[in-house]
Amino acid sequence: MKKVLLVLLVVAMVSSFFVGCKPKPQPVTLTIWHSWSGAELDVLNEAITEYQNQHPEITINQLQVPFDQLQNKYQTEAAAGGGPDILVGPADWIGNFAKANLIASLDSYFDAAFLADYVPGAIEQVKFNGSMMAFPESTECVALIYNKSLVQNLPKDTNELVTLVDSITQGDTYGFVYNSGFYFTAGYFFASGMKLFDSNNNAIVNQGDGGVKTLTFLKNLASDPKFIVANDYGKADSLFKEGKAAMIINGPWAVGDYVKALGDKVGVAPMPVFAETGNPFAPFVNTKDFFVNANINDTQKKAAADFIKFMVSKDVEQKFFEKAKHIPSNVKVDTSSDPIIGGFLEQMKTGVPMPIIPEMGAVWDPMQTAIDSVLASKATPQDAINTAETTIQDKINASRGQ
Amino acid sequence: MIDKSDIGMWEKLRRHRLAYYYILPSAIVMALITAFPILYQIWMSFTNFNITNLRNPHPDFVGLGNFIKIFTNKVPLENFNFWRIFAFDVFWTFSNVFLHVTIGISLAVALNTPRLALKKFYRTLLVIPWAVPSYISALIWKNMFDVDFGAVNQILSNILNMTVKIPWLTNPNAPIKIFPFLSYAFYADLITNVWLGFPFMMVVATGALQSIPHEIFEAAEIDGVNERGKFFKITLPLIRSAMLPAIMLGIVWTFNQFNVIYLVSGGGPLGTTEILVTQAYKIVNPGGLYGVASAFGLIVFFILLAITLITNRITRATE
């Protein structure tokens, strides 16, 4: 008995010498900022829990920031030397962030074999001056989202759309809650031939009559009492979920919640063709990406890149696809069974890639002001588009230090 | 001859050395967190400081360029017009304070009626707007002003028995033609801020009213003064000295009323309800023009300095 005890004791003592030898992983904390909500947020939280179970030394904190504040919040914090390790945002932020040196190049973390599994167009979009500045999680564009119990035959062009909406709107049910935000309605600006930049990245939005045509079209919609035309995402969103809006314009990120609210009544299709020119709706096609903060050290960057690899793996993207209807950037995700995704993919065929140059940041607010001032009868379409052009160019000049 | 009170500065410092040691720690903290940022901002206002300079603080010196840009409305931002914003801010301030004071004093006088039933209950009820954090009230009002689903339009619809769709926050045009520069949103902001602001004036007026001895009113009654005469000849002159500082305070507060403007109308639609402080905020966020924003901040400072100096003169004149 004594001998057994002695042997046990010796074994215990000897083995204790080796405790320090096994490489013990250093604890790492990663912070991620995003604007995901609803079903997307659920998937993110599931993924984080799973990743932490696989890697007990890693803690991941996520913070949800409203989308309209996320870019400025990150820009201010990162420019001052802080900010999260990982940011989730659209590709058009790349230009400004890269120029201000706020995001890290990811070239060294993803090799060609890894990238082979991803949609080439998505990988191409996140390249700035030849470097990969973000990693695409999903691709997105806006399309027509409709309630099948209210819309039987889809309108082919904008003239049919007006007739259809006039017949649906009754009481507190609206045929179309039209989001007049520039991002949502840009497809008709491009359908009428408007261009944003020339080859030197200077603004040319008032060249040709594309801008005027679309602004006139929007004004006609707004003067029809059967349409709600408002730059109000929340209103369109909640009316559609309540089944009070037959049609809205929105992107794949919202569809997960709509399916939860309305089940299989939700349909997605390309927006009607712009009747005046006969061209299809040409929305911005964009990727939603993971950015890595330029301020963090190499160990943190490595950990962030590893987490991003997990987030864009087949399994996690499959969940994002099934629950939140994200259109995956990973080609291995099985999307065959879903007609909703089909609607967005159909719409993407006529889309235009979102420019990621820094100058893009100057476009949004002036174009929105042009739309708002025409809808409010404060300016004629021609004056509004001229003012927009001047303001965009002033902003571009200011950001170039001129 | 050197007078004893005329001793040199170093001599004074030497005599009170201990006192300076005592304030040294807080003086250092103040220098770091107050004086340094102010001086830094003054320096920034003469440069083209932008987002890339936050980590690399070597912007170019542009002299008075930022100030000239502001005064000539050349700031690259939508709907920027310094003079319109300034005029609007002044109008906003005086219309608000006028309503705050008249409503506040009227209610205070009404509640000061002797032997009024439930007086304490009414007073509590009327002070509630002041007790709720103003950003919460502002957000609630913003939702109440929604054109299709807001409570304001729905209540008006019920009262008038017809569909009322006043575009409170979306239409930049003027509903009242004699004020062509005031959009619907101005009235929405005004209603919100009057609701928020009158309780303060009421509380001040109530305090002042209670210090007026009843004998004065009784004497006036014996002399045959009617109610109107009592109000204008006794009440108003006697609460004047208490109301003036409160009004001056109200002017400065309203001039910089960021919460209501930013949360209810957001300065919109099309910049028609922008006041100086909300515009200053937008120059930085989303504008990213730190240099211009610093210059703008300095201009606002000098405007407020002028208001304060005028204020001081008026209040001193009443002493």
Side-chain angles (χ1 to χ4, degrees), chain A residues 259-331:
Chain A
V259 171
K260 224 188 244 174
L262 299 168
D264 55 6
K265 284 188 214 158
V266 181
V268 176
M271 285 285 288
V273 167
F274 191 54
E276 204 175 323
T277 60
N279 290 334
F281 186 76
F284 284 120
V285 177
N286 206 7
T287 54
K288 184 138 285 175
D289 307 298
F290 291 102
F291 300 90
V292 174
N293 194 328
N295 298 318
I296 57 179
N297 62 34
D298 287 342
T299 329
Q300 288 285 106
K301 277 180 193 160
K302 176 81 178 48
D306 286 344
F307 177 65
I308 291 172
K309 279 181 187 165
F310 172 76
M311 288 299 289
V312 297
S313 65
K314 180 176 169 283
D315 292 346
V316 177
E317 285 210 2
Q318 185 81 43
K319 270 191 211 150
F320 266 112
F321 164 68
E322 278 163 15
K323 297 194 178 150
K325 303 294 170 200
H326 282 197
I327 300 172
S329 60
N330 189 324
V331 292

Coordinates of all heavy atoms in Angstrom, one line a residue, chain A residues 259-331:
Chain A
V259 N -39.6 36.7 -43.6 CA -40.1 35.4 -43.7 C -40.6 34.9 -42.3 O -41.7 34.3 -42.2 CB -39.0 34.4 -44.2 CG1 -39.4 33.0 -44.0 CG2 -38.7 34.7 -45.6
K260 N -40.0 35.4 -41.3 CA -40.4 35.1 -39.9 C -41.8 35.7 -39.7 O -42.6 35.1 -39.0 CB -39.4 35.7 -38.9 CG -39.1 34.8 -37.7 CD -38.3 35.6 -36.7 CE -36.9 35.0 -36.6 NZ -36.0 35.9 -35.7
A261 N -42.0 36.9 -40.2 CA -43.3 37.5 -39.9 C -44.4 37.1 -40.9 O -45.6 36.9 -40.5 CB -43.1 39.1 -40.1
L262 N -44.1 36.8 -42.1 CA -45.2 36.5 -43.1 C -45.1 35.1 -43.7 O -45.9 34.8 -44.6 CB -45.1 37.6 -44.3 CG -45.3 39.0 -43.9 CD1 -44.9 39.9 -45.0 CD2 -46.7 39.3 -43.5
G263 N -44.1 34.3 -43.4 CA -44.0 33.0 -43.9 C -43.8 33.0 -45.4 O -43.0 33.8 -45.9
D264 N -44.4 32.1 -46.1 CA -44.2 31.9 -47.5 C -44.9 32.9 -48.4 O -45.0 32.8 -49.6 CB -44.5 30.5 -48.0 CG -45.9 30.0 -47.6 OD1 -46.6 30.9 -47.2 OD2 -46.2 28.9 -47.8
K265 N -45.5 33.9 -47.8 CA -46.1 35.0 -48.6 C -45.1 35.9 -49.2 O -45.4 36.7 -50.0 CB -47.0 35.8 -47.7 CG -48.4 35.1 -47.4 CD -49.2 36.2 -46.7 CE -50.1 35.6 -45.6 NZ -50.5 36.6 -44.7
V266 N -43.8 35.8 -48.7 CA -42.8 36.8 -49.1 C -42.2 36.3 -50.5 O -41.8 35.2 -50.7 CB -41.6 36.9 -48.1 CG1 -40.6 37.8 -48.6 CG2 -42.2 37.3 -46.8
G267 N -42.2 37.3 -51.4 CA -41.6 37.0 -52.7 C -40.6 38.1 -53.1 O -40.7 39.2 -52.6
V268 N -39.6 37.7 -53.9 CA -38.6 38.6 -54.3 C -38.5 38.5 -55.8 O -38.5 37.4 -56.4 CB -37.2 38.3 -53.7 CG1 -36.2 39.3 -54.2 CG2 -37.3 38.5 -52.2
A269 N -38.4 39.7 -56.5 CA -38.3 39.7 -58.0 C -37.6 41.0 -58.4 O -37.4 41.9 -57.6 CB -39.7 39.7 -58.6
P270 N -37.0 41.0 -59.6 CA -36.4 42.3 -60.0 C -37.5 43.4 -60.1 O -38.6 43.2 -60.3 CB -35.9 41.9 -61.5 CG -35.8 40.5 -61.5 CD -36.9 40.0 -60.6
M271 N -37.0 44.6 -59.8 CA -37.9 45.8 -59.9 C -38.4 45.9 -61.4 O -37.7 45.5 -62.3 CB -37.1 47.0 -59.5 CG -36.9 47.2 -58.0 SD -38.4 47.6 -57.1 CE -38.5 49.3 -57.6
P272 N -39.5 46.6 -61.6 CA -40.0 46.8 -62.9 C -39.1 47.6 -63.8 O -38.3 48.4 -63.3 CB -41.4 47.5 -62.7 CG -41.7 47.4 -61.3 CD -40.5 47.1 -60.6
V273 N -39.1 47.4 -65.1 CA -38.3 48.1 -66.0 C -38.7 49.6 -66.0 O -39.8 49.9 -65.9 CB -38.4 47.5 -67.4 CG1 -37.9 48.3 -68.5 CG2 -37.8 46.1 -67.4
F274 N -37.7 50.5 -66.2 CA -38.0 51.9 -66.3 C -38.6 52.2 -67.6 O -38.0 52.1 -68.7 CB -36.7 52.7 -66.1 CG -36.9 54.2 -65.9 CD1 -37.7 54.6 -64.9 CD2 -36.2 55.1 -66.7 CE1 -37.8 56.0 -64.7 CE2 -36.3 56.4 -66.5 CZ -37.2 56.9 -65.5
A275 N -39.9 52.5 -67.6 CA -40.7 52.6 -68.8 C -40.2 53.6 -69.8 O -40.2 53.3 -71.0 CB -42.2 52.9 -68.5
E276 N -39.7 54.7 -69.4 CA -39.3 55.8 -70.3 C -38.1 55.4 -71.2 O -38.1 55.8 -72.4 CB -39.0 57.1 -69.5 CG -39.1 58.3 -70.4 CD -38.9 59.6 -69.6 OE1 -39.4 59.6 -68.4 OE2 -38.4 60.5 -70.1
T277 N -37.2 54.7 -70.6 CA -36.0 54.3 -71.5 C -36.0 52.8 -71.8 O -35.2 52.4 -72.7 CB -34.7 54.5 -70.7 OG1 -34.7 53.8 -69.5 CG2 -34.5 56.0 -70.4
G278 N -36.9 52.0 -71.2 CA -37.0 50.6 -71.5 C -35.8 49.8 -70.9 O -35.6 48.7 -71.1
N279 N -35.0 50.5 -70.0 CA -33.8 49.8 -69.4 C -34.2 49.2 -68.1 O -35.1 49.7 -67.4 CB -32.7 50.8 -69.1 CG -32.1 51.3 -70.4 OD1 -32.1 50.6 -71.4 ND2 -31.5 52.5 -70.4
P280 N -33.6 48.1 -67.7 CA -33.9 47.5 -66.4 C -33.4 48.3 -65.2 O -32.4 49.1 -65.4 CB -33.2 46.1 -66.5 CG -32.1 46.3 -67.5 CD -32.6 47.3 -68.5
F281 N -34.0 48.1 -64.1 CA -33.5 48.7 -62.8 C -32.1 48.2 -62.6 O -31.9 47.0 -62.7 CB -34.5 48.2 -61.7 CG -34.3 48.7 -60.4 CD1 -34.7 50.0 -60.0 CD2 -33.7 48.0 -59.4 CE1 -34.5 50.5 -58.8 CE2 -33.5 48.5 -58.1 CZ -33.9 49.8 -57.8
A282 N -31.2 49.1 -62.3 CA -29.8 48.7 -62.2 C -29.2 49.1 -60.8 O -28.6 50.1 -60.6 CB -29.0 49.4 -63.3
P283 N -29.6 48.3 -59.8 CA -29.2 48.7 -58.4 C -27.7 48.5 -58.2 O -27.0 47.8 -59.0 CB -29.9 47.7 -57.5 CG -30.0 46.5 -58.4 CD -30.2 47.0 -59.8
F284 N -27.2 49.2 -57.1 CA -25.8 49.0 -56.7 C -25.6 47.5 -56.3 O -26.5 47.0 -55.5 CB -25.4 49.8 -55.5 CG -25.2 51.3 -55.8 CD1 -25.9 52.3 -55.3 CD2 -24.1 51.6 -56.7 CE1 -25.7 53.6 -55.6 CE2 -23.9 52.9 -57.0 CZ -24.7 53.9 -56.4
V285 N -24.6 46.8 -56.8 CA -24.3 45.5 -56.3 C -23.1 45.7 -55.4 O -22.1 46.3 -55.8 CB -24.0 44.5 -57.4 CG1 -23.6 43.2 -56.8 CG2 -25.3 44.4 -58.3
N286 N -23.2 45.2 -54.2 CA -22.2 45.5 -53.2 C -21.8 44.2 -52.4 O -22.6 43.3 -52.4 CB -22.7 46.5 -52.2 CG -21.6 47.3 -51.6 OD1 -20.5 47.2 -51.9 ND2 -22.0 48.2 -50.6
T287 N -20.7 44.2 -51.7 CA -20.5 43.1 -50.8 C -20.6 43.6 -49.4 O -20.3 44.8 -49.2 CB -19.1 42.5 -51.0 OG1 -18.1 43.5 -50.9 CG2 -19.0 41.7 -52.3
K288 N -21.0 42.8 -48.5 CA -20.8 43.1 -47.0 C -19.6 42.4 -46.6 O -19.4 41.2 -46.8 CB -22.1 42.6 -46.3 CG -22.0 43.1 -44.9 CD -23.3 43.6 -44.3 CE -23.8 44.9 -44.7 NZ -25.1 45.2 -44.1
D289 N -18.7 43.2 -45.9 CA -17.4 42.7 -45.7 C -16.9 42.8 -44.2 O -17.5 43.5 -43.4 CB -16.4 43.5 -46.5 CG -16.7 43.6 -47.9 OD1 -16.8 42.6 -48.6 OD2 -17.1 44.8 -48.4
F290 N -15.9 42.0 -43.9 CA -15.2 42.1 -42.7 C -14.0 42.9 -42.9 O -13.2 42.7 -43.8 CB -14.8 40.7 -42.1 CG -15.9 39.9 -41.7 CD1 -16.4 38.8 -42.5 CD2 -16.5 40.1 -40.5 CE1 -17.4 38.0 -42.1 CE2 -17.6 39.3 -40.1 CZ -18.1 38.3 -40.9
F291 N -13.8 44.0 -42.0 CA -12.6 44.8 -42.1 C -11.8 44.5 -40.8 O -12.3 44.2 -39.8 CB -12.9 46.3 -42.0 CG -13.8 46.8 -43.2 CD1 -15.2 46.7 -43.1 CD2 -13.2 47.2 -44.3 CE1 -16.0 47.2 -44.1 CE2 -14.0 47.7 -45.4 CZ -15.4 47.6 -45.3
V292 N -10.5 44.6 -40.9 CA -9.6 44.5 -39.8 C -8.9 45.8 -39.5 O -8.4 46.5 -40.4 CB -8.5 43.4 -40.0 CG1 -7.6 43.3 -38.8 CG2 -9.2 42.0 -40.2
N293 N -9.0 46.2 -38.2 CA -8.5 47.5 -37.8 C -7.0 47.6 -38.0 O -6.2 46.7 -37.7 CB -8.8 47.7 -36.3 CG -8.6 49.1 -35.8 OD1 -7.8 49.8 -36.3 ND2 -9.4 49.5 -34.9
A294 N -6.5 48.7 -38.6 CA -5.1 48.9 -38.8 C -4.3 49.2 -37.5 O -3.1 49.0 -37.5 CB -4.9 50.0 -39.8
N295 N -5.0 49.5 -36.5 CA -4.3 49.9 -35.2 C -3.8 48.7 -34.4 O -3.0 48.9 -33.5 CB -5.2 50.8 -34.4 CG -5.6 52.0 -35.0 OD1 -4.8 52.7 -35.7 ND2 -6.9 52.4 -34.9
I296 N -4.4 47.5 -34.6 CA -4.1 46.4 -33.7 C -2.7 45.8 -34.0 O -2.3 45.9 -35.2 CB -5.2 45.4 -33.6 CG1 -5.5 44.9 -35.0 CG2 -6.5 46.1 -33.1 CD1 -6.6 43.9 -35.0
N297 N -2.1 45.1 -33.1 CA -0.8 44.4 -33.3 C -1.0 43.1 -34.1 O -2.1 42.7 -34.4 CB -0.1 44.2 -32.0 CG -0.8 43.2 -31.1 OD1 -1.5 42.3 -31.6 ND2 -0.7 43.4 -29.8
D298 N 0.1 42.5 -34.6 CA 0.1 41.4 -35.5 C -0.6 40.2 -34.9 O -1.3 39.5 -35.6 CB 1.5 41.0 -35.9 CG 2.0 42.1 -36.9 OD1 1.2 42.8 -37.5 OD2 3.2 42.1 -37.2
T299 N -0.4 40.0 -33.6 CA -1.1 38.8 -32.9 C -2.6 39.0 -33.0 O -3.3 38.0 -33.4 CB -0.7 38.8 -31.4 OG1 0.6 39.3 -31.3 CG2 -0.8 37.4 -30.9
Q300 N -3.1 40.2 -32.7 CA -4.5 40.5 -32.8 C -5.0 40.3 -34.2 O -6.1 39.8 -34.5 CB -4.8 41.9 -32.3 CG -4.7 42.1 -30.8 CD -5.8 41.5 -30.0 OE1 -5.6 40.5 -29.4 NE2 -7.0 42.1 -30.1
K301 N -4.2 40.8 -35.2 CA -4.6 40.7 -36.6 C -4.8 39.3 -37.0 O -5.7 38.9 -37.7 CB -3.6 41.4 -37.5 CG -3.8 42.9 -37.6 CD -2.8 43.6 -38.5 CE -2.8 45.1 -38.3 NZ -1.6 45.7 -38.7
K302 N -3.8 38.5 -36.6 CA -3.8 37.0 -36.9 C -5.1 36.4 -36.3 O -5.8 35.7 -37.0 CB -2.6 36.4 -36.3 CG -2.5 34.9 -36.5 CD -2.0 34.6 -37.9 CE -1.8 33.1 -38.2 NZ -2.9 32.2 -37.8
A303 N -5.4 36.7 -35.1 CA -6.6 36.2 -34.4 C -7.8 36.7 -35.1 O -8.8 35.9 -35.3 CB -6.6 36.6 -32.9
A304 N -7.9 37.9 -35.5 CA -9.0 38.5 -36.2 C -9.2 37.8 -37.6 O -10.3 37.4 -37.9 CB -8.8 40.0 -36.5
A305 N -8.1 37.5 -38.3 CA -8.2 36.9 -39.6 C -8.7 35.4 -39.4 O -9.5 35.0 -40.2 CB -6.8 36.9 -40.3
D306 N -8.2 34.8 -38.3 CA -8.7 33.4 -38.1 C -10.2 33.4 -37.8 O -10.9 32.5 -38.3 CB -7.9 32.8 -36.9 CG -6.5 32.4 -37.3 OD1 -6.2 32.3 -38.5 OD2 -5.7 32.2 -36.3
F307 N -10.7 34.4 -37.1 CA -12.1 34.4 -36.8 C -12.9 34.7 -38.1 O -13.9 34.1 -38.3 CB -12.4 35.5 -35.7 CG -13.8 35.6 -35.4 CD1 -14.6 34.6 -34.8 CD2 -14.5 36.8 -35.7 CE1 -15.9 34.7 -34.6 CE2 -15.9 36.9 -35.5 CZ -16.6 35.9 -34.9
I308 N -12.3 35.6 -38.9 CA -13.0 35.9 -40.2 C -13.1 34.6 -41.0 O -14.1 34.3 -41.6 CB -12.3 37.0 -40.9 CG1 -12.5 38.3 -40.2 CG2 -12.8 37.2 -42.3 CD1 -11.7 39.5 -40.7
K309 N -12.0 33.8 -41.1 CA -12.0 32.6 -41.8 C -13.1 31.7 -41.3 O -13.8 31.0 -42.1 CB -10.7 31.8 -41.7 CG -9.6 32.4 -42.6 CD -8.3 31.6 -42.4 CE -7.2 32.3 -43.2 NZ -5.9 31.8 -42.8
F310 N -13.3 31.6 -40.0 CA -14.4 30.8 -39.5 C -15.8 31.4 -39.9 O -16.7 30.7 -40.3 CB -14.3 30.8 -38.0 CG -15.5 30.2 -37.3 CD1 -15.6 28.8 -37.3 CD2 -16.4 31.0 -36.7 CE1 -16.7 28.2 -36.6 CE2 -17.5 30.4 -36.0 CZ -17.7 29.0 -36.0
M311 N -15.9 32.7 -39.9 CA -17.2 33.3 -40.2 C -17.6 33.1 -41.7 O -18.7 33.1 -42.0 CB -17.1 34.9 -39.9 CG -17.2 35.2 -38.4 SD -18.6 34.6 -37.6 CE -19.9 35.7 -38.2
V312 N -16.6 33.0 -42.6 CA -16.9 32.9 -44.0 C -16.8 31.4 -44.4 O -16.8 31.1 -45.6 CB -16.0 33.8 -44.9 CG1 -16.3 35.2 -44.6 CG2 -14.5 33.4 -44.7
S313 N -16.6 30.5 -43.4 CA -16.5 29.1 -43.8 C -17.9 28.6 -44.3 O -18.9 29.3 -44.1 CB -16.1 28.3 -42.5 OG -17.2 28.4 -41.6
K314 N -17.9 27.5 -44.9 CA -19.1 26.9 -45.5 C -20.3 26.8 -44.5 O -21.4 27.2 -44.8 CB -18.8 25.6 -46.2 CG -20.0 25.0 -46.8 CD -19.6 23.7 -47.5 CE -20.8 22.9 -48.0 NZ -21.5 22.2 -46.9
D315 N -19.9 26.3 -43.3 CA -21.0 26.1 -42.3 C -21.6 27.3 -41.8 O -22.9 27.4 -41.7 CB -20.4 25.3 -41.1 CG -20.0 23.9 -41.5 OD1 -20.4 23.5 -42.6 OD2 -19.2 23.3 -40.8
V316 N -20.8 28.3 -41.5 CA -21.4 29.6 -41.0 C -22.2 30.3 -42.1 O -23.3 30.8 -41.9 CB -20.3 30.5 -40.3 CG1 -20.9 31.8 -39.8 CG2 -19.7 29.8 -39.2
E317 N -21.6 30.4 -43.2 CA -22.3 31.1 -44.3 C -23.6 30.3 -44.7 O -24.6 31.0 -45.1 CB -21.4 31.2 -45.6 CG -20.4 32.3 -45.4 CD -19.9 33.0 -46.7 OE1 -20.5 32.7 -47.7 OE2 -19.1 33.9 -46.6
Q318 N -23.6 29.0 -44.5 CA -24.8 28.3 -44.8 C -25.9 28.7 -43.8 O -27.1 28.9 -44.2 CB -24.5 26.8 -44.6 CG -25.7 25.9 -45.0 CD -25.8 25.6 -46.5 OE1 -24.8 25.4 -47.2 NE2 -27.0 25.7 -47.1
K319 N -25.5 28.9 -42.6 CA -26.5 29.4 -41.6 C -27.0 30.8 -41.9 O -28.2 31.1 -41.8 CB -25.9 29.4 -40.2 CG -26.0 28.1 -39.4 CD -25.6 28.2 -38.0 CE -25.0 26.9 -37.5 NZ -24.0 27.2 -36.4
F320 N -26.0 31.7 -42.2 CA -26.4 33.0 -42.6 C -27.4 33.0 -43.8 O -28.3 33.8 -43.9 CB -25.2 33.9 -43.0 CG -24.6 34.7 -41.9 CD1 -23.4 34.4 -41.3 CD2 -25.3 35.7 -41.3 CE1 -22.9 35.1 -40.3 CE2 -24.8 36.5 -40.3 CZ -23.6 36.1 -39.7
F321 N -27.1 32.1 -44.7 CA -28.0 32.0 -45.9 C -29.4 31.4 -45.5 O -30.4 32.0 -45.8 CB -27.4 31.0 -46.9 CG -28.3 30.5 -47.9 CD1 -28.9 31.4 -48.9 CD2 -28.8 29.2 -48.0 CE1 -29.8 31.0 -49.8 CE2 -29.7 28.8 -48.9 CZ -30.2 29.7 -49.8
E322 N -29.4 30.4 -44.7 CA -30.7 29.8 -44.4 C -31.6 30.6 -43.4 O -32.8 30.8 -43.6 CB -30.5 28.4 -43.7 CG -30.3 27.3 -44.8 CD -29.6 26.1 -44.2 OE1 -29.7 25.9 -43.0 OE2 -29.1 25.3 -45.0
K323 N -31.0 31.2 -42.4 CA -31.8 32.0 -41.4 C -31.9 33.4 -41.8 O -32.9 34.0 -41.5 CB -31.1 31.8 -40.1 CG -31.1 30.4 -39.6 CD -30.9 30.2 -38.2 CE -30.9 28.8 -37.8 NZ -30.0 28.5 -36.7
A324 N -30.9 34.0 -42.3 CA -30.9 35.5 -42.6 C -31.0 35.8 -44.0 O -31.0 37.0 -44.4 CB -29.7 36.1 -41.9
K325 N -31.0 34.8 -44.9 CA -31.1 35.0 -46.4 C -29.9 35.9 -46.9 O -30.1 36.6 -47.9 CB -32.4 35.7 -46.8 CG -33.6 34.9 -46.3 CD -33.7 33.6 -47.0 CE -34.8 32.7 -46.4 NZ -34.7 31.3 -46.7
H326 N -28.7 35.8 -46.3 CA -27.6 36.4 -46.9 C -27.2 35.6 -48.2 O -27.2 34.4 -48.2 CB -26.4 36.4 -45.9 CG -26.5 37.4 -44.9 ND1 -25.4 37.8 -44.1 CD2 -27.5 38.2 -44.5 CE1 -25.8 38.8 -43.3 NE2 -27.1 39.0 -43.5
I327 N -26.8 36.4 -49.2 CA -26.4 35.7 -50.4 C -24.9 35.4 -50.3 O -24.1 36.3 -50.2 CB -26.6 36.6 -51.7 CG1 -28.1 36.9 -51.8 CG2 -26.1 35.9 -52.9 CD1 -28.4 37.9 -52.8
P328 N -24.5 34.1 -50.1 CA -23.2 33.8 -49.7 C -22.1 34.2 -50.7 O -22.3 34.1 -51.9 CB -23.2 32.3 -49.5 CG -24.3 31.8 -50.3 CD -25.3 32.9 -50.4
S329 N -20.9 34.5 -50.1 CA -19.7 34.7 -51.0 C -19.0 33.4 -51.2 O -18.2 33.3 -52.1 CB -18.8 35.8 -50.3 OG -18.3 35.3 -49.1
N330 N -19.3 32.4 -50.4 CA -18.6 31.1 -50.5 C -19.4 30.3 -51.5 O -20.6 30.0 -51.3 CB -18.6 30.5 -49.1 CG -17.8 29.2 -49.1 OD1 -17.7 28.5 -50.0 ND2 -17.1 29.0 -47.9
V331 N -18.7 29.8 -52.6 CA -19.5 29.1 -53.6 C -19.9 27.7 -53.2 O -20.7 27.1 -53.8 CB -18.6 29.0 -54.9 CG1 -18.4 30.3 -55.5 CG2 -17.3 28.3 -54.6

